Amino acid sequence: MIRPRSDAHCSTFAPQCFSSLSAPALRHFHSVAVCHYRDSHETLIREGSPASQVLILCSGRVKLVAASAEGRIFLLRVAGPGDFLGLAALLQSAVYRVTAETLDPCVIKSIPRADFIRFMTLYPDVGHSIAQTLAHEYNGAVLTARRLALHTSAAGKLASTLLDLARVDEPDNGPAPTNLPISFVMQLTHEDLGSMAGLSRETVSRLLTRFRRDGQLNQTLDRMTLNHPIQMEARYV
Amino acid sequence: MIRPRSDAHCSTFAPQCFSSLSAPALRHFHSVAVCHYRDSHETLIREGSPASQVLILCSGRVKLVAASAEGRIFLLRVAGPGDFLGLAALLQSAVYRVTAETLDPCVIKSIPRADFIRFMTLYPDVGHSIAQTLAHEYNGAVLTARRLALHTSAAGKLASTLLDLARVDEPDNGPAPTNLPISFVMQLTHEDLGSMAGLSRETVSRLLTRFRRDGQLNQTLDRMTLNHPIQMEARYV
DNA sequence: CGGCAACTTGATTTCTTTCAAGAGAAGTGG
DNA sequence: CCACTTCTCTTGAAAGAAATCAAGTTGCCG
């Protein structure tokens, strides 16, 4: 297991949405947040268990998944540095709604429920930042639902899933969706992609070869390039 | 168009999540919120347009839908009294992500973006309430995505959609999901149900008759009764 | 009564899943 | 360094399910 040499990194890390907080608020944050190190393939949060704390991911990637009784798996998204885990559950439902599993060795901070609530009600700006974070996550979830419901064909589901993945990496929020190739790091297996798009592993495999043949897609070792994003939106209903 | 006799109702209405606010905060709320009356089948919010205000539904029901370029429609949910419309868009993306259409004559309050942000940052409790509301909406959206992704069969998608609809009506948050019949008002057409569950209108029709034959479902004029909720979860993958 | 919207039901077609088998790459341990 | 296991990916064939196309019914409202 790889650990940072010291806590220097961890003690200063705060999520992006807290960048505009006052100094006292930030000090409060660092006083209640406890740092932890986790290996790959560890479970940080378990679906259905009581939401006793909120986690903040400092480094590494974390899969958020939901499982059905029959063993089927839905991959909601892959969280990265700066993301909150279990925030909505802590604020609302008292029970985590997804399972969080590390993909890499991770550094995380945890804040117990009571401490977090106190921190939030003490500083108005914190409430505001948290609300914005939640709004962002909400929009992501709505887009996911939309994707799953609106695309009838498997090709459409997979294409829009890939486009979403590509665009999350691009911090580019410009109003002009370009038709220039988008390239991004693909760390998901076909099985993962299938459980994001609601498709079987084999179908994903078949479709990717089809996209490649159609000239829409290029793949190197761990990168994926979408050659004509706009056409891709349109071509695969 | 049916309008209340006076503004008495409207001037005192505040969403449930504001019930614990201080008197000054509530007064502030009522001073910035403007009341409107809308007929059935009016569009309150349009997908893609800039999020200039947040709406609060006082009475009536509102459909939240997203449309694809091909004319396909996804019905995210039906909002009721006390619900916010456009909250996440206003806080995060600056663009509404869904279209809101009235189903009944509605009374709504609107608050311009700037006023709302000021209101929120002024009172810590407001930030907290808003965060909780967003957490609730987020969980709903995740459950919707989950439903669409995890159920392979059309029967499973429709059954879980109906169960969700039934349970939203029940304010019963008890940890014991009973197997007693659940009855609820069904104001959605087969087409609506189809666009919630990601199915065609005909498939919904066929499945409802099948559920009826299976003894899982009873329907009167505008009510629907799910006879064995737990079996229903299990039976239709 | 006419007209429209919602619903029902049947037949056909299309697509995805499932089952099956094998190839390639990566990691493990002797 | 090599044999072995495991995981991922690929591809084929068959079965099954939902969408689509089509036609007809019901019920409500003007």
Side-chain angles (χ1 to χ4, degrees):
Chain A
M1 174 172 170
I2 303 159
R3 286 169 191 265
R5 294 275 185 280
S6 77
D7 272 12
H9 164 74
C10 189
S11 63
T12 58
F13 186 93
Q16 202 194 345
C17 71
F18 284 171
S19 57
S20 61
L21 288 195
S22 65
L26 269 180
R27 243 177 291 133
H28 187 140
F29 170 73
H30 289 300
S31 75
V32 292
V34 183
C35 217
H36 306 271
Y37 304 89
R38 290 291 135 92
D39 267 335
S40 294
H41 309 294
E42 282 197 57
T43 300
L44 303 177
I45 280 178
R46 213 173 293 275
E47 187 182 355
S49 66
S52 57
Q53 54 181 1
V54 65
L55 304 182
I56 293 140
L57 189 53
C58 302
S59 68
R61 292 170 303 133
V62 173
K63 257 195 208 180
L64 300 182
V65 303
S68 75
E70 298 81 35
R72 226 183 141 74
I73 282 177
F74 165 48
L75 172 46
L76 180 62
R77 70 189 179 93
V78 176
D83 284 348
F84 285 79
L85 308 176
L87 184 56
L90 182 141
L91 285 171
Q92 195 252 334
S93 75
V95 167
Y96 294 120
R97 288 298 161 77
V98 292
T99 294
E101 297 167 2
T102 55
L103 279 171
D104 314 314
C106 287
V107 181
I108 54 172
K109 285 178 190 266
S110 73
I111 305 179
R113 184 193 184 107
D115 288 343
F116 186 76
I117 302 283
R118 199 176 314 121
F119 171 56
M120 200 173 129
T121 39
L122 215 51
Y123 308 93
D125 283 2
V126 174
H128 191 245
S129 301
I130 294 299
Q132 275 190 320
T133 303
L134 278 166
H136 185 73
E137 294 192 13
Y138 172 76
N139 281 320
V142 169
L143 284 180
T144 301
R146 194 195 137 101
R147 222 175 47 209
L148 291 166
L150 285 180
H151 294 276
T152 48
S153 71
K157 285 182 197 164
L158 184 59
S160 62
T161 300
L162 293 177
L163 285 162
D164 277 9
L165 283 174
R167 285 169 182 160
V168 167
D169 278 21
E170 305 278 309
D172 180 50
N173 293 323
T178 67
N179 202 22
L180 298 173
I182 312 182
S183 175
F184 62 104
V185 179
M186 169 52 72
Q187 342 85 321
L188 302 174
T189 66
H190 289 186
E191 179 132 35
D192 290 332
L193 285 174
S195 54
M196 279 192 95
L199 303 170
S200 72
R201 177 176 40 88
E202 296 95 324
T203 300
V204 171
S205 189
R206 273 184 258 265
L207 285 171
L208 288 179
T209 61
R210 174 174 151 202
F211 290 170
R212 249 178 268 133
R213 269 203 303 272
D214 289 359
Q216 293 290 338
L217 181 73
N218 279 52
Q219 251 180 314
T220 60
L221 289 159
D222 63 342
R223 279 194 95 69
M224 188 173 264
T225 305
L226 309 179
N227 294 322
H228 311 292
I230 293 181
Q231 283 173 43
M232 202 161 178
E233 293 258 37
R235 179 123 116 199
Y236 309 107
V237 181
Chain B
M1 173 172 168
I2 302 162
R3 288 171 190 265
R5 295 274 185 280
S6 76
D7 273 12
H9 164 73
C10 189
S11 62
T12 59
F13 186 95
Q16 203 195 342
C17 70
F18 284 172
S19 57
S20 62
L21 288 195
S22 66
L26 269 180
R27 245 177 289 131
H28 188 141
F29 169 74
H30 289 300
S31 75
V32 293
V34 182
C35 216
H36 306 271
Y37 304 89
R38 290 290 135 93
D39 265 336
S40 294
H41 308 295
E42 283 196 57
T43 300
L44 304 176
I45 279 178
R46 214 173 292 275
E47 188 181 354
S49 67
S52 57
Q53 55 181 1
V54 64
L55 304 181
I56 293 139
L57 189 54
C58 301
S59 69
R61 291 170 304 133
V62 173
K63 256 196 212 180
L64 300 183
V65 304
S68 75
E70 298 82 33
R72 229 185 139 73
I73 282 176
F74 166 47
L75 173 47
L76 179 62
R77 69 189 180 96
V78 176
D83 284 348
F84 285 79
L85 308 175
L87 184 54
L90 183 140
L91 285 172
Q92 195 252 333
S93 75
V95 167
Y96 294 121
R97 287 297 160 78
V98 292
T99 294
E101 297 167 2
T102 56
L103 278 172
D104 313 313
C106 286
V107 180
I108 55 172
K109 285 176 190 269
S110 71
I111 306 178
R113 183 193 185 105
D115 288 343
F116 186 76
I117 302 282
R118 200 176 314 122
F119 171 56
M120 201 174 127
T121 39
L122 214 51
Y123 308 92
D125 283 1
V126 173
H128 191 244
S129 301
I130 295 299
Q132 274 190 320
T133 303
L134 278 166
H136 186 72
E137 294 192 14
Y138 171 76
N139 280 320
V142 169
L143 284 180
T144 301
R146 195 196 137 99
R147 223 176 46 210
L148 291 166
L150 285 181
H151 294 276
T152 47
S153 71
K157 284 182 198 164
L158 184 59
S160 62
T161 301
L162 293 177
L163 285 162
D164 276 10
L165 284 172
R167 285 170 181 159
V168 168
D169 278 22
E170 305 278 309
D172 180 50
N173 294 323
T178 67
N179 202 22
L180 297 175
I182 311 183
S183 176
F184 61 105
V185 180
M186 169 53 69
Q187 341 84 322
L188 301 173
T189 66
H190 290 185
E191 180 132 36
D192 290 331
L193 285 174
S195 54
M196 278 191 94
L199 303 171
S200 73
R201 178 176 39 88
E202 295 96 323
T203 299
V204 171
S205 189
R206 272 185 257 267
L207 285 171
L208 287 180
T209 61
R210 174 174 150 201
F211 290 171
R212 250 179 267 131
R213 270 202 302 271
D214 290 359
Q216 294 288 339
L217 181 74
N218 278 53
Q219 251 180 316
T220 60
L221 288 160
D222 63 342
R223 280 194 94 69
M224 189 174 263
T225 305
L226 309 179
N227 294 321
H228 311 292
I230 293 181
Q231 284 174 41
M232 202 160 178
E233 293 258 38
R235 179 122 116 198
Y236 309 108
V237 182

